[in-house]
Amino acid sequence: MTQAQVQETANIPAQAEEPGIRKWWEYFTFNTDHKVIGIQYLVSTFIFYCIGGAMADLVRTELRTPEVDFVTPEVYNSLFTLHATIMIFLWIVPAGAGFTNYVLPLMIGAKDMAFPRLNALAFWIVPPAGLMLIASLAVGDAPDAGWTSYPPLSLVTGQVGEGIWIMSVLLLGTSSILGAINFLVTLLKMRTPGLGFNQLPLFCWAAFATSALVLVSTPVLAAGLILLAFDLFAGTTFFNPTGGGDPVVYQHMFWFYSHPAVYIMILPFFGVISEVIPVHSRKPIFGYKAIAYSSLAISFLGLIVWAHHMFTSGIPGWLRMFFMITTMIIAVPTGIKIFSWMGTLWGGKLHLERPALLFAIGFVGTFVIGGISGVMLAAVPFDIHVHDTYFVVAHLHYVLFGGSVLGIYAGFYHWFPKMTGRMLNNFWGQVHFVLTIVGLNMTFLPMHKLGMLGMNRRVAQYDPKFTLLNEICTYGAYILAVSTLPFIVNVIWSWMYGPKAGNNPWKALTLEWMTTSPPAIENFDKPPVLATGPYDYGLEKAKEGVPLSDADPAVSAGPNSVLRAEPDEPYPSIAAEKGER
Amino acid sequence: MSQQTIDPAKTALNYHHTAEAAAHHEEHPDYRLFGLIVFLIAEGMIFMGLFGAYLAFRSTLPAWPPEGTPELELLLPGINTINLISSSFVIHNADTAIKKNNVRGMQMWFAITAVMGIIFLAGQMYEYYHLEFGLTTNLFASAFFVLTGFHGLHVTIGVLAILAVLWRSLKPGHYSKEKHFGIEAAEIYWHFVDVIWIILFGLLYIL
């Protein structure tokens, strides 16, 4: 079908207005449209990422030499505390919420979130909470007990800073609970007719697993922080051993949230990668159900393994054994995902010039390294050996930077044409990718070695024998800082002057590409009708548009039905089977 | 290539306030109820966290309550418990009434529930005032005040929600047989607060 015929069939005016284009200031005002809120999330969290990254570079600058010569130890403590808090609570978790906000209603053919005003509220909690946290530096009493805020240390480091920390984390937790309620209700109640659970895009499955996890675990952290606040301000002794309290109870409550939180931080990006890889390698996803159900398995297992962060805090031996075994079991569903992605890439027609796919492949590679060091840390004896050393720092940065952050970038390059209606520049995206991968590995790979040699984390001063490796890490961190520059310039320039993207530049099959770019308010004129499964790339039936739902055929052929992309690039092995090669 | 018809009129920013948008949400009548239940799961998990912490503190200390803690009186909290449990039955009558389009009956039952809730709060205040220990006396006392206080906060929110529904119901036709989600929501929240109190009462006073 030619473009003109398609337009005739679909009753599209030849000179269609650009319905989704907004003025820039609309993104900075109160709005209930899920697309605006999604972009608000992504932009504001990226600003927090830059602030947190600057703090990380200050920390690394201090660690370039063994002596304390750049900042005072007190400021150093505040810097690494704020760096971790910002990166976790103000960058990765809300960035996942940003993607979910933007993409989830589009993917399920809904007009908006179930509770649009609640959605806006959930977003507008984030910037004030973040600004409060950063403003604590100006007060001169910034939180400096580490992002875990373990009592009794956190009870003696200063009431103002610790109070600010508790307040912001409680607010951000509230925001993510409100978001999760919205996502769950939207996903379960507002799918377009005929969209069954087994036809959902994998990103939606990931959003479902993440939201369930947020809902169950975040309130427990809130309870722990309420008790901690009473200890701090009201003179109770819940976590203070001098008054008969038990600090280990805080650790249990903290990690009951914060261990699942690592899955809250990685699961949405598992979903993103599951979207990016099939689209840009033009192949059906390998093992759809395996990926979907392993997300649920990860959420369940993630809830019952929290105490593996506490192997050295004096918990009984049988408990350590239980948590060691369950932690190692998580490697199974995670491995299923990794192999499914590799099976999808295998033999696909890879568009390696597109940064989205590059970042997705980078994600798979670095995440595997982080996952392997995670299994090592799950083993009790090894964990005791490297406890509180740079090995742990290396592991968590491979998972959170090499996993989540690369996932954010992959999703950003993938959905940018949908969000703005314009294409990003591929070349600068490739530069961004190379710099990021080089910087990432240069910064965090030597930390494994440092940790095994016994360099402690959270110290401003160290044995001079670690100098060389630390210098490498520091220069890697500088490369990482530089790597964001091509990205920022590329995004701003392309948003203003980039080439027009069209509605479906990647020829993708999920529903968000079946509307204009950017989508108009309320997304779809009529509930879209499914013509194919979400990942039928290069298959014969995608060409014909076989309805998978029992919807009225007259509707699916009618003027407002959704037309599927033609698979202009057939899946190679299918073409070969038919002797077309 | 794949595109849809576009209505430029839909670019209006205030689209969410149009009748069409409202009609869209009417297509999904049960989503608000589901949202409330999901919210209450999160609320319940805060209490589960507090209960778990309470049990953990209890298990680490040799004697519970710690030596020298004055005995808790059971009479007043017992009456309060009966009061709160019966209020759950009272508020259920409001739901039955509105399903028969009986707005006056609904208002009466809601008013009675609100009074019972206020009596509960007053009883709790009275109990606090006459207790022989304070917030910082020992771990048990701290946990007692934090748990009952946090529950009391929820009762207060419940009473306020009931009063808000009552205020809205003064406008004729605001609630009807078909349209009474506010009433249902207040009722479910009230049941939730009641269930939490039963667990709390068992943990703090009896166990």
Side-chain angles (χ1 to χ4, degrees):
Chain A
M1 229 192 295
T2 66
Q3 182 69 36
Q5 281 172 316
V6 169
Q7 282 196 342
E8 201 180 328
T9 339
N11 199 13
I12 297 167
Q15 295 280 313
E17 297 277 324
E18 291 180 277
I21 300 283
R22 293 162 186 278
K23 298 275 186 291
W24 62 270
W25 49 262
E26 285 178 26
Y27 291 105
F28 297 93
T29 51
F30 298 108
N31 203 315
T32 53
D33 186 348
H34 73 97
K35 296 181 286 296
V36 175
I37 293 170
I39 288 178
Q40 285 174 335
Y41 262 114
L42 289 174
V43 171
S44 55
T45 54
F46 189 79
I47 293 170
F48 284 121
Y49 169 60
C50 293
I51 297 171
M55 286 173 178
D57 275 351
L58 294 178
V59 167
R60 281 312 323 170
T61 307
E62 165 59 52
L63 291 172
R64 196 172 66 83
T65 53
E67 300 84 32
V68 183
D69 51 4
F70 182 65
V71 289
T72 62
E74 291 75 26
V75 174
Y76 176 86
N77 286 346
S78 294
L79 282 177
F80 75 70
T81 302
L82 286 176
H83 161 69
T85 313
I86 288 173
M87 289 307 198
I88 287 166
F89 294 111
L90 286 160
W91 160 236
I92 301 179
V93 172
F99 278 117
T100 316
N101 252 310
Y102 198 96
V103 182
L104 183 83
L106 287 165
M107 275 186 164
I108 62 172
K111 292 190 170 183
D112 204 326
M113 286 287 175
F115 307 105
R117 283 179 292 185
L118 182 72
N119 205 15
L121 173 67
F123 167 71
W124 282 104
I125 290 174
V126 174
L131 291 178
M132 186 166 74
L133 196 64
I134 292 162
S136 66
L137 274 174
V139 182
D141 183 15
D144 54 0
W147 82 281
T148 51
S149 264
Y150 277 173
L153 173 66
S154 58
L155 298 176
V156 296
T157 50
Q159 269 192 339
V160 178
E162 191 57 28
I164 288 176
W165 186 86
I166 291 174
M167 192 63 157
S168 351
V169 174
L170 271 178
L171 280 173
L172 293 165
T174 311
S175 157
S176 74
I177 291 174
L178 296 179
I181 292 172
N182 222 338
F183 299 152
L184 274 179
V185 178
T186 308
L187 186 57
L188 294 177
K189 293 286 180 194
M190 297 184 72
R191 296 194 306 280
T192 190
L195 182 60
F197 250 69
N198 282 335
Q199 290 144 300
L200 273 187
L202 287 166
F203 181 78
C204 300
W205 276 97
F208 176 68
T210 313
S211 307
L213 213 47
V214 169
L215 204 66
V216 176
S217 63
T218 316
V220 178
L221 174 71
L225 292 182
I226 289 168
L227 295 185
L228 187 65
F230 269 97
D231 276 6
L232 197 62
F233 294 111
T236 59
T237 57
F238 292 116
F239 304 133
N240 196 344
T242 54
D246 186 0
V248 177
V249 176
Y250 175 82
Q251 296 191 17
H252 278 292
M253 297 177 88
F254 181 82
W255 287 113
F256 188 81
Y257 166 73
S258 293
H259 184 72
V262 310
Y263 297 102
I264 293 168
M265 286 183 264
I266 198 70
L267 273 172
F269 306 109
F270 283 169
V272 169
I273 299 304
S274 307
E275 295 299 322
V276 170
I277 285 183
V279 173
H280 297 282
S281 54
R282 311 310 302 168
K283 263 189 71 180
I285 190 101
F286 178 84
Y288 171 87
K289 282 189 179 170
I291 296 186
Y293 299 158
S294 63
S295 291
L296 301 183
I298 287 174
S299 346
F300 173 71
L301 288 169
L303 274 175
I304 58 167
V305 300
W306 73 90
H308 67 220
H309 295 267
M310 301 157 56
F311 284 155
T312 58
S313 67
I315 59 173
W318 63 270
L319 210 55
R320 294 207 281 202
M321 196 56 77
F322 170 79
F323 284 107
M324 168 171 143
I325 292 167
T326 45
T327 305
M328 288 183 169
I329 289 175
I330 296 193
V332 175
T334 316
I336 288 174
K337 282 181 190 291
I338 301 279
F339 283 115
S340 291
W341 293 325
M342 293 187 354
T344 311
L345 289 167
W346 183 271
K349 185 176 177 184
L350 303 186
H351 285 277
L352 279 177
E353 78 282 4
R354 296 180 186 163
L357 184 62
L358 286 176
F359 274 105
I361 293 172
F363 174 101
V364 176
T366 46
F367 187 79
V368 165
I369 300 177
I372 289 172
S373 57
V375 178
M376 291 163 78
L377 285 171
V380 177
F382 185 80
D383 182 81
I384 290 171
H385 176 62
V386 297
H387 179 79
D388 254 345
T389 67
Y390 265 82
F391 190 88
V392 179
V393 179
H395 159 69
L396 77 92
H397 279 95
Y398 261 91
V399 176
L400 292 184
F401 199 108
S404 306
V405 178
L406 295 190
I408 292 172
Y409 282 140
F412 205 86
Y413 281 101
H414 181 63
W415 281 307
F416 186 83
K418 183 48 66 183
M419 290 175 183
T420 62
R422 290 176 188 272
M423 301 297 284
L424 279 169
N425 182 301
N426 271 356
F427 173 74
W428 288 107
Q430 289 154 7
V431 170
H432 174 213
F433 172 73
V434 170
L435 284 175
T436 309
I437 288 292
V438 169
L440 154 68
N441 286 294
M442 196 168 149
T443 313
F444 303 120
L445 201 59
M447 289 185 184
H448 289 105
K449 182 78 179 163
L450 280 174
M452 301 237 242
L453 293 174
M455 178 170 162
N456 275 337
R457 69 201 265 211
R458 296 179 176 177
V459 287
Q461 198 175 13
Y462 55 86
D463 192 316
K465 72 180 177 183
F466 299 132
T467 311
L468 176 66
L469 287 173
N470 271 299
E471 277 191 354
I472 297 174
C473 293
T474 302
Y475 295 127
Y478 295 158
I479 295 178
L480 273 184
V482 171
S483 78
T484 50
L485 292 179
F487 176 72
I488 295 172
V489 173
N490 193 1
V491 164
I492 294 175
W493 192 88
S494 302
W495 202 330
M496 293 195 289
Y497 310 113
K500 289 271 163 61
N503 295 337
N504 193 355
W506 313 131
K507 303 260 185 292
L509 292 178
T510 39
L511 282 179
E512 81 267 27
W513 301 99
M514 304 302 147
T515 179
T516 51
S517 307
I521 293 170
E522 302 270 316
N523 302 342
F524 301 96
D525 277 3
K526 285 186 175 176
V529 177
L530 295 176
T532 61
Y535 301 110
D536 293 344
Y537 299 105
L539 295 179
E540 283 296 297
K541 62 177 176 179
K543 203 179 283 180
E544 302 299 328
V546 180
L548 287 182
S549 65
D550 301 331
D552 182 7
V555 174
S556 56
N560 280 311
S561 76
V562 169
L563 293 172
R564 288 298 187 174
E566 274 188 60
D568 58 334
E569 296 141 351
Y571 173 40
S573 66
I574 290 180
E577 274 165 23
K578 295 176 68 184
E580 288 173 4
R581 278 185 152 190
Chain B
M1 167 112 17
S2 38
Q3 223 170 353
Q4 275 192 286
T5 36
I6 296 135
D7 180 6
K10 286 205 170 174
T11 55
L13 254 183
N14 57 358
Y15 184 72
H16 277 298
H17 306 295
T18 61
E20 202 183 327
H24 164 67
H25 283 295
E26 289 304 311
E27 290 164 24
H28 307 279
D30 56 343
Y31 76 101
R32 287 180 300 186
L33 184 64
F34 185 66
L36 178 70
I37 290 168
V38 174
F39 170 72
L40 289 181
I41 292 173
E43 280 268 49
M45 281 308 293
I46 298 188
F47 280 104
M48 289 305 132
L50 291 174
F51 295 158
Y54 175 84
L55 289 174
F57 293 134
R58 187 188 168 115
S59 68
T60 52
L61 290 189
W64 192 265
E67 297 287 327
T69 314
E71 279 280 305
L72 280 171
E73 286 287 335
L74 263 182
L75 179 65
L76 182 61
I79 294 171
N80 244 346
T81 308
I82 294 166
N83 170 31
L84 201 62
I85 292 176
S86 30
S87 75
S88 250
F89 290 98
V90 171
I91 201 170
H92 184 70
N93 287 328
D95 192 51
T96 321
I98 196 70
K99 277 178 182 155
K100 290 176 186 153
N101 241 344
N102 178 2
V103 175
R104 290 215 75 82
M106 183 279 286
Q107 284 168 336
M108 183 187 77
W109 293 117
F110 256 50
I112 295 175
T113 315
V115 170
M116 287 170 98
I118 291 167
I119 290 173
F120 176 87
L121 288 171
Q124 205 172 30
M125 285 298 124
Y126 184 86
E127 190 195 1
Y128 277 11
Y129 190 72
H130 287 270
L131 278 177
E132 285 158 22
F133 52 78
L135 179 64
T136 55
T137 306
N138 59 33
L139 210 53
F140 172 78
S142 307
F144 175 85
F145 278 109
V146 170
L147 282 172
T148 53
F150 197 59
H151 178 265
L153 179 69
H154 279 76
V155 177
T156 313
I157 295 170
V159 170
L160 290 177
I162 288 172
L163 292 178
V165 168
L166 270 178
W167 175 256
R168 283 181 164 192
S169 72
L170 293 179
K171 191 177 140 195
H174 191 92
Y175 294 113
S176 66
K177 191 175 163 186
E178 292 81 25
K179 192 168 140 296
H180 54 266
F181 176 71
I183 294 166
E184 253 182 292
E187 187 199 340
I188 292 172
Y189 188 81
W190 195 255
H191 290 322
F192 167 78
V193 170
D194 198 6
V195 169
I196 292 292
W197 175 257
I198 293 169
I199 303 173
L200 199 60
F201 186 73
L203 270 182
L204 286 177
Y205 291 90
I206 296 174
L207 199 66

